[in-house]
Each structure stands twice: as C-alpha cells, then as structure tokens.
Amino acid sequence: MKIISVVGARPNFMKVAPLHRAFEASGKIESKIVHTGQHYDAKMSDIFFNQLGLPQPHYHLGVGGGSHTYQKANVMLKFEEVLLKEQPDLVLVVGDVNATTATTLVAVKMGIPVAHVEAGLRSGDRKMPEEVNRVVTDAICQYHFITEHSGLVNLARENTLSKGVHFVGNVMIDSLVYFREKAAEGTTLSELGLAAKSYLLTTMHRPHNVDNPEGLKDIVSILQRCASRLPVVFPMHPRTRNNLTKYGLMDQVLAIENLHLLEPQGYLQFLQLMDNARLIVTDSGGIQEETTYLQVPCLTFRDTTERPITVELGTNILMADLNPDTVMEEVDNILEGRAKTGVIPPFWDGHAAERICGILLGELEGNH
C-alpha cells in the first residue's frame, strides 16, 4: 500500500518524521513524502530533513511564498500531477497550514481518501487563517486522528462525516521523545555560556504580533524588562527580523544587554533550548504542546488556543495581549517559584504514530 504524506511548513516535519518511521517499519506501506515548499528558507527547511532522519522529499513542489490564495492554488495544481502519477491508496496531511487544506481538496476530488493528523483542534477564531484550514480539512477528509479530548468534542459538534475519529495522542510529542536524548548532547547551551534553567527562551512570529509597530514596541519592552532579570535567548524568525528593521526598532533590540539573538535554530538545537529553559515566552502553537510535555512554564501571546489541553492540564498560560506590565507579573510569579504545575496529557507517550499506522493498516487492508 502506498501513502503520500504532505509537509509544507516547519512544524509538519516533526509530525511526519515519526509517521514515516512507523510506515517503513510496518513493512507493508510504501511511504512517500511531498514537500510543498511553503517554508523555503534552507535554515527553516533543509536542516529539519537532515536532523529528523527523513529522506529527501520524493517530490518538492517549490511553491514558496506569496498570498494564501497563490500558495493554495499552486500547491493544488502541482499536487494533482503527483497524484495522477503515483495513484496512492491514501494521502496523509498534518496540522493546519495552507498545504494541508490544498492537498486535501485535490485528493478528495480525485476520490483518494485523506487522513488528517491533529484533527479537531479549534481556537474559535476564524480570523486566523489556520483556523479556516482546520475547519475545511476536517469537513472533507475521511480519517480524523485526535491529539486531545477537545478534538472529539469539536468534531461531534460539527457533525463530521467521518470513516473514523480516533484519539491517538500527539505525533509532535513522538518526535520530542525520540530525539530528546540526542538533543541533550548538543552544544548550543555551552556555546551561549548558559546553565540549565538559568534563562528565558522566546519566539515571536505571528503576523498579529509582529506586523505592526505597536506590537513590536511591546515586544522590545518585554525583551528589555525580561533581560534585566535573567538572560534571554531569542531565535529570530525572518519575518520578525524584517519588521524590526522596517520599523526602525532593530538598534534598540541590539542594545539590550543579556539578550542572545540567534538565527532560526534546527530542531535538535531548539529542543535543547526548550528542555533547559526556566520559562518560555512565545506566540507559537506547537511550543505550547512541547513545553507541556517538558513541564516548562510557558506564556503564550494569544487570546485563544486551539490546544486547550495545554492550559487545562499543561504548563501553558494564555496572554491576551502584549502588555509588558501583565507579562512581567507572570514572569515574576514564575521566577519567584509560583509557576503553574502541569501534568502530561493522555496518550502523549511517544507512540501516537504507531497507533495511527496500526489503524490505517487495518482500514486499508480491509479495502484491498
């Protein structure tokens, strides 16, 4: 049986890597990978394939940047050619990027079943392009693989017509568990001269936060105030760097003492930084999950989250806005030992990909 897995942006690679391993290990599945090229910067893309032990993609669509419509339309045209040539038994998509929805539409129209890994996640905010991608993908795909209980509730509410909704756990955590020891052997901390649990790690990249001067000024203020308390490590997304320069704020950032500005990091390097951080300040979706597993306090600059389990059970705290005063209150709480304690959610045990593989084998063998 042949399964084509789609990756588009950086977080997809960590999700597809354990699935590809499980498919290959089964001895019954021919696993092929299509990279749409939504993240086309070598640091954001190639390094992940090298570190995660993924083969070079069997197809690289090379779509690159552009508007959401441009990306989706080009992915659809190019992916159709791949499916006509390969005739797979199933297409597997992960997450909520443009490639997820575009490839799902093409496959479903061609009568090829689609499995969505991380199905059912909802923030309730349709202004987020990712939310639209999630809703559309789940409405038309055949198999839904759930990471947390809220996914079951959301799909039931939307009356999803599905061949199967399966609560399997979190493939992102599979990668983390698999690579944690290897990441611990890295040299990133020693190169920065930092001790474990002595620094704050931050990432910022969402348009809502970094595409306007007000948001960026608040981020600069938060960086300044955090760096006065402990070292701050900031791997900077290209979008954030460009906007800080565009709005004339980069000199202020460069002048902050105790701030370690880094290029985007490889998966293993960033995992080491996360695992050893005292706390993390971010607007990322995936980091909420990883910090919950690693039991590291996390402040997330979002007023909603599609991963509520990270707040309900985990170490995540939502910050509705970038107000430096509110943020520093929470930072001080954590530094003074009043951090929220969390537990690891059900099925976040490193074996989600094996469960998914077993379910798909049962389904596909039944259809052959």
Side-chain angles (χ1 to χ4, degrees):
M1 284 171 290
K2 187 189 292 184
I3 294 179
I4 287 183
S5 299
V6 177
V7 296
R10 186 172 154 145
N12 297 168
F13 309 155
M14 286 87 91
K15 295 165 190 173
V16 164
L19 289 160
H20 177 73
R21 274 199 308 276
F23 293 160
E24 296 271 281
S26 75
K28 296 179 175 179
I29 294 172
E30 182 186 356
S31 173
K32 294 205 166 181
I33 294 171
V34 172
H35 184 1
T36 65
Q38 185 172 329
H39 274 177
Y40 45 95
D41 176 307
K43 280 207 172 63
M44 310 261 304
S45 194
D46 295 354
I47 193 167
F48 276 73
F49 277 95
N50 298 336
Q51 291 190 352
L52 294 167
L54 282 166
Q56 279 304 308
H58 300 83
Y59 293 90
H60 197 302
L61 307 187
V63 170
S67 73
H68 288 269
T69 305
Y70 172 89
Q71 284 188 338
K72 280 197 171 85
N74 279 279
V75 166
M76 288 176 76
L77 289 167
K78 294 182 176 184
F79 191 61
E80 182 180 47
E81 293 173 19
V82 173
L83 293 185
L84 286 168
K85 182 178 173 188
E86 291 288 341
Q87 301 287 318
D89 296 284
L90 180 105
V91 169
L92 183 139
V93 298
V94 295
D96 52 24
V97 297
N98 288 331
T100 306
T101 313
T103 53
T104 298
L105 277 164
V106 176
V108 169
K109 291 268 192 178
M110 293 174 69
I112 299 166
V114 176
H116 184 204
V117 174
E118 285 195 337
L121 296 179
R122 298 288 182 272
S123 68
D125 180 3
R126 293 278 178 100
K127 295 192 296 293
M128 288 178 73
E130 296 92 344
E131 181 78 352
V132 176
N133 289 341
R134 292 179 203 117
V135 172
V136 171
T137 302
D138 282 337
I140 60 174
C141 72
Q142 281 77 12
Y143 301 106
H144 299 79
F145 292 107
I146 311 288
T147 59
E148 61 168 87
H149 182 261
S150 72
L152 297 172
V153 176
N154 294 330
L155 291 178
R157 189 177 61 236
E158 291 168 15
N159 199 21
T160 303
L161 298 169
S162 174
K163 287 185 178 177
V165 176
H166 304 277
F167 189 178
V168 292
N170 194 329
V171 288
M172 189 85 146
I173 302 304
D174 287 14
S175 275
L176 190 154
V177 171
Y178 188 82
F179 287 108
R180 193 176 184 183
E181 261 180 54
K182 191 175 178 189
E185 297 163 7
T187 57
T188 308
L189 281 194
S190 55
E191 285 166 17
L192 293 171
L194 294 172
K197 303 301 174 186
S198 73
Y199 61 90
L200 181 152
L201 175 64
T202 187
T203 73
M204 289 285 159
H205 75 283
R206 286 192 181 270
H208 175 70
N209 292 329
V210 304
D211 279 6
N212 59 86
E214 293 74 29
L216 287 170
K217 282 174 187 164
D218 284 338
I219 289 168
V220 173
S221 174
I222 291 163
L223 290 172
Q224 288 167 331
R225 291 169 69 172
C226 287
S228 71
R229 288 164 169 75
L230 75 171
V232 173
V233 178
F234 186 10
M236 199 181 283
H237 191 283
R239 177 185 207 111
T240 309
R241 182 181 292 276
N242 292 342
N243 285 337
L244 283 166
T245 305
K246 175 180 168 183
Y247 292 115
L249 294 166
M250 194 50 125
D251 287 346
Q252 269 180 269
V253 174
L254 294 172
I256 299 173
E257 288 183 33
N258 230 7
L259 176 66
H260 299 268
L261 274 189
L262 308 180
E263 292 291 315
Q265 296 294 290
Y267 178 65
L268 296 175
Q269 288 87 342
F270 193 74
L271 176 49
Q272 186 186 35
L273 286 170
M274 276 196 300
D275 206 356
N276 290 285
R278 180 77 185 275
L279 74 150
I280 296 179
V281 173
T282 186
D283 59 6
S284 159
I287 289 173
Q288 303 171 77
E289 297 180 317
E290 292 167 316
T291 49
T292 281
Y293 183 85
L294 297 170
Q295 306 277 279
V296 175
C298 182
L299 305 180
T300 302
F301 289 113
R302 309 256 304 269
D303 49 10
T304 58
T305 178
E306 64 287 347
R307 296 166 167 90
I309 200 79
T310 63
V311 177
E312 292 158 14
L313 289 185
T315 53
N316 188 28
I317 296 172
L318 290 186
M319 309 291 297
D321 59 35
L322 289 162
N323 183 322
D325 292 331
T326 322
V327 174
M328 294 320 296
E329 275 178 38
E330 291 291 355
V331 168
D332 286 337
N333 277 335
I334 292 165
L335 296 182
E336 290 161 16
R338 296 190 298 275
K340 175 185 177 188
T341 54
V343 297
I344 296 172
F347 294 129
W348 290 24
D349 56 6
H351 299 290
E354 294 155 45
R355 287 191 276 270
I356 291 169
C357 181
I359 291 163
L360 288 177
L361 273 175
E363 291 284 344
L364 296 176
E365 284 175 335
N367 295 336
H368 270 249

